[in-house]
Amino acid sequence: MATDQNTILDEVTGGEYKYGFVTDIETEYIPKGLNEDVVRLISQKKGEPDFMLEFRLEAFRHWQTLTLPEWAHLNIPNIDLQEIIFYAAPRTKPKYNSIDEVDPELIDTFNKLGIPLNEQLALAGVAVDAVMDSVSVKTTFKETLADKGIIFCSISEAIREYPDLIKKYLGSVVPYQDNYYAALNSAVFSDGSFVYIPKGVRCPLELSTYFRINASNTGQFERTLIVADDDSYVSYLEGCTAPMRDENQLHAAVVEIMVMERAEVKYSTVQNWYPGDKDGKGGIFNFVTKRAICKGDYAKVSWTQVETGSAITWKYPSCVLMGNHSVGEFYSVAVTNNHQQADTGSKMIHLGKNTRSLIVSKGVSAGKSNNSYRGLVKVSKKADNARNFSQCDSLLLGNQCGAHTFPYLEINNSSAKVEHEATTSKIGEDQIFYCNQRGLSTEDAVALIVNGYVKEVINQLPMEFAVEAQKLLQISLEGSVG
Amino acid sequence: MLKIRNLHAKIDDKEILRGINLDIKPGEVHAIMGPNGSGKSTLSAVLAGNEAFEVTEGEVTFNGKNLLDMAPEDRSREGLFLSFQYPVEIPGVSMVNFMRTALNEHRKYRGEAPMSASDFLKLMRDKKNLVEIDSNLTNRAVNEGFSGGEKKKNEIFQMAMLQPKLAILDETDSGLDIDALRIVANGVTKLKSPENATIVITHYQRLLDYIVPDHVHVLYKGRIVKSAGKELALELEEKGYDWIKKEFED
Ligand SMILES: Nc1ncnc2c1ncn2[C@@H]1O[C@H](COP(=O)(O)OP(=O)(O)OP(=O)(O)O)[C@@H](O)[C@H]1O
Ligand SMILES: [Mg+2]
């Protein structure tokens, strides 16, 4: 019976990555490898002011003193950084006034991804800052946003146009000393997004960025900085897919969010990078540092992520709850299939009084994959009446996959109330047969059960994104039934 | 409608069905009785296409088609319904969503367009009334936390929604209280038509008081060892199975 179930699940979950293709836009590289000259060259190519070069060099020098970290539940092949190209930009640096001027290849790429840019702009009211490789190609809806004093642009542009904001906030949430990959990112980051919401402004649009790794052999080091000033609100969406590739590609992004008094930031991610083929060959390595600081009282931040891609994912969006009454939330769905490995979770650092945090983590493992939740809840001495609730569920498809939960607690204040619940369940052959008997194919049955299981998290996503996320879950678990 | 010829099936090298023969015509009700472990549920599972059991010999045709060649979902779409002896819980999947997906799959198979949300909700309401099922149950996840009796009612509700050509009711009466038994049995009777047929698996006459069978079969050790009219059920109720076992061993 067990083998029967495995065959069924194999068929359902053995699907190949559907977004594998390479876009043919000309790309300009600098030589592969990393040294101080490369850092200088990147800064120069981007026409950065001196302070930025200094920032990069400091980070680079610090990075040189570090060694690659060892990972508990991940099996990571050696990554030879000297084989990586650290900068790639479309050769013709475009600046478009209208969408008609955008390279049709790019439009085509978005279409293949199911993200028709035109339609998005018209229908969804989503402003898209499309990052293709390392340089922002298209930023839209800027005027609407500018009317409200909202800044939404590429980080390169922000460095040139808003040096004071950059000087003040870049590295203030994730300093380069934070970890190996944060240091590396700070030295060589190529591009990313910058958002500033002024005091008292509710951003009227969902801000959205579609990242896409495109140039072969290019390490990607995105840098995102979001600052929400007092009493402001913004919802930010990040999504990505990657073309099918044979070589492993490294991605080490840094996302920093600063939330001031009574401000609220929602950060949603749908991540679907190439996970490698069915035998575990190829795929993206995804080492991301994401952190938010709720600096002011009553500040609130929530991370929602749907992770289906990457060969290896290492990612712990964190909330530092500094302000009194500040709130941090983390909703996550992580799906692993075939040979994927994921080690994700969240860190909630309670520093202020009456701070609250919530963690809802849903892991889905299929194939021979490994899915770990690693979470830290830390309550400092002064954080009176801190509250945390963590719910970590694992769903297993088949019996060759693994799910692990590692909750860490550091409680230094006796008034803290911390609760943790964990469940592990399995899609049973009897459940699938029951669905079959009512006329559902095995594929649909699995999709229905998985969608039910992750509903609580998907519901946190903005409507358009939720639909896309659901499609993605289905795609990443479906296969060649029949 | 259903023709079973010399059906053999096994699980883990243990032969459980050992040559079943059965003919069912439209409009008929067949009762299958028999001691515990004789293979009644196995027969329904094999007919529904549960791959845990391996068919080693025999043929089954359903409305002229080779049933054993069909995937379980296609058997359902062809109009075969199994009311499970032990209905399965599917946490997180709402009854509404589940039934809507199932119904639309059936419609797709027949080349019909999906049902609109409002038509679907109206249909649900009608069928809920038919089996007098509590509205709250259909708002919950499939069978999750349902009591034994509620699960059985829910099976009949699903049957009412899907309107099968052949329904196999595997001990649908067990776990039902006296009122529920009457409601469920009346529901089944209301769903009957000259075009569809029912197999009722039960241990007790009381269900057959409501759903009157045209034929009663006794399954014993993987074979149908006796078939007769509805009076056989009364005889079994009175005398138990010993006399049949004896007849069979001889
Ligand atoms: N999954 C299984 N693995 C091993 N043996 C099984 C399995 N399912 C059924 N059997 C065996 O097959 C035989 C027939 O079981 P089945 O459930 O068909 O009986 P039944 O006639 O429905 O009994 P009851 O009246 O108790 O419901 C029993 O001996 C049972 O133990
Ligand atoms: Mg039984």
Side-chain angles (χ1 to χ4, degrees):
Chain A
M1 244 200 294
T3 38
D4 265 353
Q5 181 169 6
N6 278 337
T7 354
I8 296 174
L9 290 170
D10 257 14
E11 282 172 0
V12 185
T13 60
E16 293 267 8
Y17 189 73
K18 298 240 166 107
Y19 291 141
F21 51 87
V22 179
T23 310
D24 212 5
I25 287 181
E26 286 182 83
T27 306
E28 177 193 36
Y29 298 108
I30 60 172
K32 65 188 182 184
L34 182 56
N35 54 49
E36 199 167 307
D37 288 342
V38 168
V39 176
R40 287 177 189 279
L41 198 58
I42 291 171
S43 188
Q44 184 200 328
K45 282 218 175 267
K46 300 175 75 64
E48 289 177 353
D50 288 346
F51 82 89
M52 208 51 235
L53 176 61
E54 269 318 302
F55 179 96
R56 289 178 183 276
L57 287 174
E58 265 179 50
F60 177 71
R61 285 173 198 137
H62 178 74
W63 174 78
Q64 283 182 305
T65 68
L66 304 174
T67 50
L68 254 169
E70 301 251 344
W71 313 97
H73 247 268
L74 295 178
N75 188 357
I76 297 177
N78 277 328
I79 303 164
D80 186 355
L81 292 175
Q82 297 307 335
E83 281 300 309
I84 289 176
I85 294 165
F86 282 87
Y87 182 79
R91 194 168 288 156
T92 44
K93 289 200 171 162
K95 268 275 171 242
Y96 303 117
N97 298 318
S98 89
I99 191 142
D100 307 333
E101 298 171 34
V102 177
D103 191 327
E105 280 266 358
L106 179 64
I107 302 292
D108 207 41
T109 301
F110 280 115
N111 287 333
K112 279 190 217 166
L113 292 171
I115 316 155
L117 194 56
N118 269 320
E119 209 172 80
Q120 281 225 355
L121 304 181
L123 297 176
V126 173
V128 176
D129 173 16
V131 175
M132 182 134 185
D133 279 352
S134 310
V135 170
S136 292
V137 179
K138 176 82 189 144
T139 305
T140 49
F141 272 52
K142 243 167 142 175
E143 288 77 22
T144 324
L145 299 176
D147 280 349
K148 299 210 164 229
I150 294 169
I151 303 169
F152 177 39
C153 63
S154 74
I155 196 114
S156 311
E157 191 179 335
I159 288 165
R160 291 189 301 269
E161 309 285 327
Y162 312 100
D164 292 342
L165 284 171
I166 295 293
K167 264 190 233 171
K168 186 165 173 194
Y169 291 111
L170 193 73
S172 68
V173 181
V174 180
Y176 62 77
Q177 298 93 334
D178 196 80
N179 66 64
Y180 183 88
Y181 288 107
L184 183 59
N185 176 289
S186 301
V188 301
F189 71 84
S190 31
D191 214 331
S193 298
F194 174 70
V195 175
Y196 177 78
I197 315 289
K199 281 189 172 112
V201 171
R202 253 192 100 80
C203 183
L205 305 164
E206 311 271 1
L207 301 183
S208 165
T209 303
Y210 282 91
F211 291 95
R212 183 161 169 76
I213 298 180
N214 198 268
S216 165
N217 223 354
T218 307
Q220 284 277 302
F221 302 92
E222 306 288 351
R223 186 94 191 186
T224 301
L225 174 61
I226 298 173
V227 180
D229 218 325
D230 297 350
D231 300 292
S232 69
Y233 167 86
V234 65
S235 165
Y236 186 89
L237 318 179
E238 173 208 313
C240 57
T241 58
M244 191 174 298
R245 252 323 129 64
D246 247 355
E247 287 155 272
N248 287 310
Q249 293 179 302
L250 174 66
H251 185 98
V254 169
V255 176
E256 302 182 272
I257 303 180
M258 185 63 93
V259 196
M260 311 308 261
E261 254 176 60
R262 290 173 303 273
E264 178 177 352
V265 175
K266 273 180 163 229
Y267 191 103
S268 313
T269 314
V270 170
Q271 187 270 108
N272 179 32
W273 285 335
Y274 180 50
D277 66 16
K278 288 176 88 158
D279 303 315
K281 197 158 171 276
I284 307 287
F285 295 172
N286 189 22
F287 303 109
V288 183
T289 307
K290 289 184 165 179
R291 187 174 307 150
I293 294 183
C294 285
K295 185 139 195 193
D297 292 353
Y298 297 96
K300 179 175 177 183
V301 69
S302 63
W303 299 99
T304 303
Q305 58 177 40
V306 175
E307 304 272 330
T308 62
S310 297
I312 299 174
T313 304
W314 177 88
K315 184 177 196 177
Y316 315 93
S318 313
C319 303
V320 181
L321 305 172
M322 268 168 83
N324 297 327
H325 302 277
S326 60
V327 176
E329 292 176 344
F330 173 73
Y331 298 91
S332 166
V333 171
V335 178
T336 53
N337 195 358
N338 298 323
H339 290 262
Q340 281 176 276
Q341 305 174 56
D343 198 307
T344 76
S346 184
K347 295 180 196 166
M348 294 292 175
I349 316 291
H350 293 255
L351 301 176
K353 297 186 201 317
N354 302 308
T355 47
R356 280 184 293 133
S357 64
L358 172 70
I359 293 174
V360 178
S361 162
K362 305 266 182 181
V364 181
S365 336
K368 297 185 170 68
S369 68
N370 253 304
N371 205 329
S372 301
Y373 167 83
R374 194 182 299 279
L376 168 71
V377 176
K378 189 171 172 173
V379 178
S380 75
K381 243 190 213 131
K382 290 181 181 154
D384 294 338
N385 301 316
R387 297 278 177 270
N388 164 266
F389 179 75
S390 305
Q391 171 79 48
C392 303
D393 299 327
S394 311
L395 183 68
L396 303 175
L397 283 74
N399 41 23
Q400 286 176 292
C401 48
H404 318 270
T405 305
F406 306 97
Y408 301 94
L409 295 177
E410 280 176 44
I411 312 296
N412 299 308
N413 183 312
S414 59
S415 66
K417 201 174 153 202
V418 175
E419 289 172 89
H420 178 89
E421 275 176 19
T423 66
T424 300
S425 48
K426 220 170 153 166
I427 296 189
E429 172 197 26
D430 53 343
Q431 291 175 320
I432 290 180
F433 179 64
Y434 190 82
C435 294
N436 289 157
Q437 211 304 302
R438 300 306 186 238
L440 274 63
S441 67
T442 301
E443 209 168 81
D444 289 345
V446 169
L448 198 66
I449 295 170
V450 169
N451 279 331
Y453 166 79
V454 302
K455 203 160 45 193
E456 196 181 346
V457 172
I458 300 289
N459 284 348
Q460 294 297 321
L461 292 171
M463 195 53 169
E464 321 85 287
F465 230 38
V467 173
E468 200 177 316
Q470 232 154 16
K471 252 194 291 182
L472 202 55
L473 288 176
Q474 206 148 342
I475 287 169
S476 49
L477 288 172
E478 96 184 354
S480 42
V481 173
Chain B
M1 165 179 278
L2 185 75
K3 260 200 190 79
I4 305 178
R5 288 289 172 273
N6 190 31
L7 182 64
H8 290 253
K10 64 172 190 183
I11 188 162
D12 309 332
D13 288 328
K14 185 174 154 199
E15 187 166 55
I16 295 169
L17 301 184
R18 302 190 301 155
I20 304 258
N21 293 292
L22 190 64
D23 278 288
I24 294 177
K25 297 193 182 65
E28 290 182 344
V29 175
H30 290 243
I32 297 181
M33 306 183 77
N36 293 130
S38 56
K40 301 182 297 295
S41 295
T42 303
L43 176 62
S44 25
V46 168
L47 292 177
N50 190 332
E51 276 153 29
F53 299 93
E54 191 193 334
V55 174
T56 51
E57 227 186 305
E59 284 162 30
V60 182
T61 51
F62 181 50
N63 289 325
K65 293 185 185 161
N66 181 348
L67 187 75
L68 300 177
D69 268 359
M70 283 182 224
E73 60 269 29
D74 285 338
R75 301 181 194 201
S76 165
R77 295 163 188 171
E78 284 285 339
L80 187 144
F81 182 90
L82 171 60
S83 167
F84 284 70
Q85 182 173 4
Y86 304 109
V88 180
E89 302 196 3
I90 311 179
V93 178
S94 73
M95 267 308 293
V96 175
N97 204 3
F98 181 67
M99 266 343 284
R100 188 152 179 223
T101 312
L103 192 75
N104 281 334
E105 285 301 319
H106 280 242
R107 291 174 67 94
K108 193 159 88 192
Y109 190 76
R110 296 193 297 258
E112 297 167 15
M115 195 175 248
S116 76
S118 61
D119 286 351
F120 176 78
L121 290 173
K122 187 180 173 307
L123 184 70
M124 279 235 337
R125 223 174 13 247
D126 292 349
K127 302 300 181 184
K128 271 194 305 208
N129 290 337
L130 186 78
V131 295
E132 300 183 36
I133 189 172
D134 192 340
S135 248
N136 289 330
L137 291 184
T138 52
N139 291 329
R140 282 163 53 182
V142 180
N143 293 323
E144 196 188 22
F146 286 24
S147 75
E150 287 169 343
K151 283 180 182 166
K152 294 300 176 71
K153 272 197 190 179
N154 191 25
E155 294 292 286
I156 300 306
F157 165 68
Q158 293 177 50
M159 171 182 156
M161 290 292 291
L162 297 174
Q163 297 188 295
K165 297 196 181 96
L166 174 67
I168 305 170
L169 311 182
D170 191 354
E171 296 199 25
T172 300
D173 51 341
S174 67
L176 290 178
D177 64 40
I178 297 158
D179 292 335
L181 179 74
R182 181 177 38 79
I183 293 164
V184 163
N186 286 339
V188 172
T189 311
K190 277 184 229 163
L191 292 169
K192 274 215 56 55
S193 81
E195 284 82 47
N196 61 29
T198 315
I199 297 176
V200 183
I201 297 172
T202 183
H203 288 295
Y204 305 106
Q205 172 60 36
R206 55 175 193 207
L207 180 65
L208 304 177
D209 290 340
Y210 296 102
I211 310 172
V212 182
D214 303 296
H215 302 273
V216 176
H217 311 277
V218 177
L219 192 66
Y220 180 56
K221 291 194 173 166
R223 289 198 188 116
I224 291 179
V225 295
K226 195 165 190 76
S227 297
K230 62 177 187 237
E231 66 287 348
L232 177 57
L234 290 164
E235 196 175 351
L236 289 170
E237 182 109 321
E238 197 179 314
K239 300 205 259 178
Y241 289 110
D242 278 355
W243 62 282
I244 289 190
K245 288 185 189 170
K246 212 180 257 156
E247 214 167 84
F248 177 71
E249 311 294 349
D250 289 345

